[in-house]
């Protein structure tokens, strides 16, 4: 059993190292692709963004609504229902916006990326590119990675804004909190640092979610089954990594 | 050793294995410049693997591959990519890019490697598609093509950069007799008219005989026989005869290595 554990651990370290190397290769190719093949990157931002936009808007609205309900129910115990806006804003900007967006992104755009790349590998499209002297890392992987990295903060912003709108809908329109108090208090308590924290998280999660999707697709076993497994792993690993990193970033910034 | 200027590709004492499966043991092959060289062999002997070794998508365990007298094992990535531009490869399953149309698939290498104006690209692509009889399918997506059509598009794409060396992995599979005839003649004509060197993997003994200058028969990780089609037809080797005439019994087993048939059917191998 110890031997098994040891082997698993060794395998983990090896994968981890390979992934870091892969990450460095993506990064080192990113600037030139960003400049020379900007149209490819834009296309991938559009792909990743458009895929996830609708679910992110729907989820944002309902998460905001729930924050409105919960905030109102609990804060009214302290006669502080005016603070529901602040409560929703803090939750959305610092935590729920980046985290839920990243999870939804992994489930929608991440799986699509992983299966697309995995399928390209399984059907020899990546080898065919290599044979045409076109580096698939630069032509296929880097634009998709960059697309995800750029799309994520945008999606987080959309999620947060719509979430605030949902909280406003429930708190102000439905439950009768004063609209002036709702926005005024939010504005006076929210600091730039809180927003930075949200931005940092959305960038880090964007990198992690895109990296896992691209990595899993590229390293998928080139069969139908292997591609299926890669998409599942993308969601699971991204979710775990996002939640762990969320804890770490929060701990550092408090 | 043969004259190097005459050989565009030389494979020397090549060993390659996948895990415990030894695919090549001391393989030696010469491919003469300007020839159509055919590679035959039973399914699973490693023909596709050989093509991937020659283009260095796989790295041999031992031995060398020389292209124009340069050992490709010594090339760095940049030189390797430059070398690969000289190759056109037709993959066994076509390997068309699924999210591009037929036209864009053929145009892809041109768009990536050149800055030609659109008008010229259009001209080149349509010419190549016309050569494989699929100019009319230019706007279709790969998913809408039949297997044979996809392979012809892939052939057009392999030709589009005007390579020095064209590699075909099973180009005739899934073609009807008419397209087959056209493609066979196309292979020969391109080879002769453009001075290309062609490497052809196929099982179609008849087609190979009609198109190739030199044939290698690979079996058990080695070259079992080589020579012109007539030389091969006339060899006495049992193995060659078996392969050329498609007999199930002979030195090449039809079955992949397996436990004893009777034992396995009776379930004795499980009990033990
Ligand atoms: N990715 C792989 N992993 C492990 N073994 C492999 C892999 N690809 C091929 N093989 C093994 O290598 C051997 C040679 O495969 P290859 O595809 O080169 O055969 P082939 O001669 O092209 O056969 P066919 O005529 O059927 O296309 C086979 O026995 C196969 O089992
Ligand atoms: Mg093959």
């Amino acid at each position: 059993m110890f031997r098994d554990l040891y082997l698993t651990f060794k395998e983990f370290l090896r994968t981890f190292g390979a992934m870091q190397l892969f990450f460095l290769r993506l990064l080192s190719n990113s600037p030139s692709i960003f400049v020379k093949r900007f149209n490819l990157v834009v296309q991938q931002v559009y792909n990743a963004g458009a895929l996830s936009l609708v679910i992110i808007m729907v989820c944002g609205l309902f998460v905001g609504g729930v924050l409105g309900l919960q905030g109102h129910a609990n804060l009214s115990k302290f006669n502080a229902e005016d603070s529901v806006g602040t409560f929703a804003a803090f939750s959305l900007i610092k935590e729920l916006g980046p985290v839920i967006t990243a999870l939804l992104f992994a489930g929608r755009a991440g799986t699509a990326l992983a299966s697309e790349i995995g399928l390209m590998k399984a059907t020899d499209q990546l080898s065919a590119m290599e044979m045409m002297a076109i580096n698939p890392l630069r032509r296929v992987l880097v634009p998709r990675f960059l697309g995800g990295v750029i799309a994520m903060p945008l999606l987080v912003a959309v999620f947060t804004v719509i979430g605030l709108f949902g909280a406003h809908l429930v708190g102000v329109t439905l439950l009768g909190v004063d609209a002036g108090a709702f926005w005024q208090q939010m504005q006076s308590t929210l600091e730039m640092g809180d927003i930075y924290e949200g931005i940092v998280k959305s960038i880090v999660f964007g990198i992690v979610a895109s990296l896992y999707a691209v990595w899993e697709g590229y390293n998928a076993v080139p069969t139908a089954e292997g591609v299926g497994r890669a998409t599942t792993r993308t969601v699971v690993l991204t979710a775990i990594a996002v939640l762990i990193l969320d804890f770490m970033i929060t701990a550092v910034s408090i | 050793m043969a004259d190097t200027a005459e050989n565009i590709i030389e494979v020397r004492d090549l060993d390659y294995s996948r895990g415990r499966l030894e695919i090549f043991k001391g393989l030696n092959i010469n491919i003469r410049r300007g020839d159509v060289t055919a590679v035959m062999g039973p399914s699973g002997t490693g023909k596709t693997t050989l093509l991937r070794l020659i283009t260095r998508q796989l790295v041999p365990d031992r031995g060398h591959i020389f292209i124009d007298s340069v050992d490709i094992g010594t090339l760095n990535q940049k030189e390797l990519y430059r070398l690969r531009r000289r190759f056109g490869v037709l993959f066994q399953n076509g390997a068309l890019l699924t999210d591009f149309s037929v036209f864009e698939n053929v145009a892809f290498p041109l768009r990536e490697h050149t800055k030609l104006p659109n008008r010229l690209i259009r001209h080149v692509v349509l010419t190549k598609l016309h050569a494989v009889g699929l100019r009319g399918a230019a706007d279709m997506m790969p998913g809408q093509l039949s297997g044979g059509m996809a392979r012809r598009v892939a052939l057009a794409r392999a030709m589009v950069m005007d390579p020095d060396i064209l590699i075909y992995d099973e180009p005739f599979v899934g073609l009807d007799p008419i397209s087959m005839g056209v493609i066979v003649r196309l292979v020969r004509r391109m080879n002769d008219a453009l001075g290309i060197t062609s490497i052809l993997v196929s099982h179609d003994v008849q087609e190979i005989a009609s198109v190739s200058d030199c044939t290698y028969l690979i079996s058990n990780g080695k070259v079992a026989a080589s020579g012109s089609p007539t030389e091969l037809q006339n060899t006495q080797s049992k193995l060659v005869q078996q392969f050329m005439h498609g007999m199930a019994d002979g030195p090449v087993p039809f079955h992949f290595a397996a436990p004893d048939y009777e034992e396995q059917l009776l379930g004795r191998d499980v009990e033990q």
Side-chain angles (χ1 to χ4, degrees), chain B residues 90-103:
Chain B
L90 175 66
F91 276 78
Q92 197 162 357
N93 55 16
L96 296 177
L97 307 174
T98 31
D99 45 357
F100 289 143
S101 68
V102 164
F103 182 93

Side-chain angles (χ1 to χ4, degrees), chain B residues 49 74 81-82 92 126-127 149 154 179 196 209 212 234 237 268:
Chain B
T49 308
T74 62
Y81 270 79
R82 199 174 312 134
Q92 197 162 357
L126 289 181
T127 318
M149 287 163 86
S179 340
I196 294 174
S212 81
N234 297 334
S237 154
R268 287 197 199 124

Side-chain angles (χ1 to χ4, degrees), chain B residues 47-236:
Chain B
K47 300 180 297 296
T48 302
T49 308
L50 175 64
L51 299 185
R52 286 186 190 277
L53 284 162
I54 289 179
T55 55
R56 208 163 176 87
Q57 287 186 305
L58 296 174
V59 178
D61 300 336
R62 216 173 56 79
H64 301 273
I65 295 172
F66 299 92
I67 295 180
D68 276 336
S69 310
V70 177
D71 183 352
I72 58 169
T74 62
L75 300 180
N76 62 29
Q77 169 143 348
K78 210 172 198 164
E79 293 164 329
L80 185 61
Y81 270 79
R82 199 174 312 134
L83 173 73
R84 282 182 181 166
R85 288 207 199 186
R86 299 179 49 201
F87 284 104
V89 180
L90 175 66
F91 276 78
Q92 197 162 357
N93 55 16
L96 296 177
L97 307 174
T98 31
D99 45 357
F100 289 143
S101 68
V102 164
F103 182 93
E104 283 305 322
N105 258 290
V106 180
F108 188 75
L110 291 173
R111 292 205 197 285
E112 291 291 321
H113 288 310
T114 70
K115 294 204 186 326
L116 293 179
N118 265 330
R119 203 167 34 83
L120 206 58
I121 289 187
R122 207 180 126 73
H123 181 87
V124 175
V125 171
L126 289 181
T127 318
K128 302 293 178 190
L129 278 176
H130 187 76
V132 296
L134 287 176
R135 191 164 42 87
D139 294 326
M140 289 168 88
M141 295 303 284
Q144 300 171 300
L145 303 177
S146 73
M149 287 163 86
R151 210 181 310 268
R152 279 148 69 193
V153 174
L155 179 56
R157 184 179 66 181
M159 306 182 317
V160 80
M161 291 293 287
D162 292 328
D164 299 343
I165 304 169
L166 258 171
I167 299 183
Y168 310 85
D169 197 353
E170 317 252 1
F172 307 130
V173 178
L175 295 186
D176 59 87
I178 303 172
S179 340
M180 172 106 85
V182 173
I183 300 294
V184 168
R185 281 193 296 278
L186 185 67
V187 168
R188 189 73 243 183
R189 207 175 58 223
M190 283 206 310
N191 196 80
D192 298 345
L194 304 175
I196 294 174
T197 304
S198 313
I199 306 173
L200 189 72
V201 167
S202 175
H203 296 299
D204 294 85
V205 177
Q206 306 301 324
E207 271 65 38
I208 294 250
S210 72
V211 76
S212 81
D213 298 304
C214 177
T215 303
Y216 283 88
L217 181 60
I218 298 181
S219 177
N220 289 326
K222 284 196 181 67
V223 175
S226 64
S228 70
T230 33
E231 281 168 6
L232 276 196
Q233 287 287 358
N234 297 334
T235 41
Q236 294 307 309

Side-chain angles (χ1 to χ4, degrees), chain A residues 1-250:
Chain A
M1 196 191 78
F2 281 113
R3 199 181 143 68
D4 276 359
L5 267 180
Y6 167 73
L7 285 179
T8 316
F9 184 66
K10 214 169 91 175
E11 186 56 38
F12 168 78
L13 279 188
R14 180 168 325 149
T15 315
F16 193 66
M19 195 156 164
Q20 281 184 334
L21 220 68
F22 178 75
F23 182 47
L24 288 180
R25 278 170 65 203
L26 284 180
L27 279 187
S28 63
N29 282 294
S30 289
S32 65
I33 292 291
F34 192 80
V35 175
K36 283 191 218 150
R37 307 300 298 266
F38 190 63
N39 57 335
L40 287 181
V41 179
V42 170
Q43 195 186 341
Q44 292 306 328
V45 174
Y46 174 79
N47 275 356
L51 275 181
S52 324
L53 192 59
V54 173
I55 49 169
I56 275 171
M57 287 166 73
V58 173
C59 295
L61 188 67
F62 280 93
V63 168
V66 167
L67 286 176
L69 284 176
Q70 290 282 13
H72 188 272
N74 290 304
L75 290 169
S76 63
K77 290 178 195 156
F78 311 102
N79 282 333
E81 52 271 48
D82 284 355
S83 305
V84 70
T86 318
F87 168 73
F90 270 98
S91 315
L92 281 170
I93 291 174
K94 291 170 59 143
E95 292 297 333
L96 297 180
V99 171
I100 296 185
T101 308
L103 298 183
L104 292 174
F105 179 91
R108 188 66 190 86
T111 50
L113 275 184
S115 63
E116 185 193 12
I117 296 171
L119 220 59
M120 288 181 90
K121 182 178 177 191
T123 53
D124 278 338
Q125 293 180 47
L126 297 184
S127 326
M129 277 190 195
E130 266 177 28
M131 281 318 312
M132 291 185 259
I134 296 160
N135 187 345
L137 186 92
R138 290 172 61 82
R139 181 60 179 75
V140 176
L141 302 189
V142 171
R144 281 166 176 73
F145 171 74
L146 285 178
V149 171
I150 296 171
M152 180 73 82
L154 302 177
L155 292 170
V156 171
V158 171
F159 184 95
T160 307
V161 168
I162 295 209
L164 285 177
F165 173 72
H168 184 267
L169 208 65
V170 169
V172 177
T173 318
L174 241 60
L175 301 174
V177 174
D178 181 50
F182 184 92
W183 295 114
Q184 172 59 43
Q185 221 191 73
M186 189 194 303
Q187 215 172 28
S188 55
T189 34
L190 207 60
E191 286 168 18
M192 220 41 215
D194 301 321
I195 295 178
Y196 284 143
E197 188 183 330
I199 293 178
V200 168
K201 281 183 180 174
S202 68
I203 292 173
V204 172
F205 297 169
I207 292 175
V208 168
S210 314
L211 176 64
Y212 270 117
V214 170
W215 163 264
E216 286 296 333
Y218 191 56
N219 288 290
V221 179
T223 59
E225 194 196 6
V227 173
R229 207 159 33 216
T231 55
T232 313
R233 283 170 57 94
T234 305
V235 180
V236 175
L237 291 178
T238 309
I240 295 173
V242 160
L243 293 173
I244 293 177
L245 283 169
D246 184 47
F247 177 79
M248 285 169 30
I249 298 175
T250 310

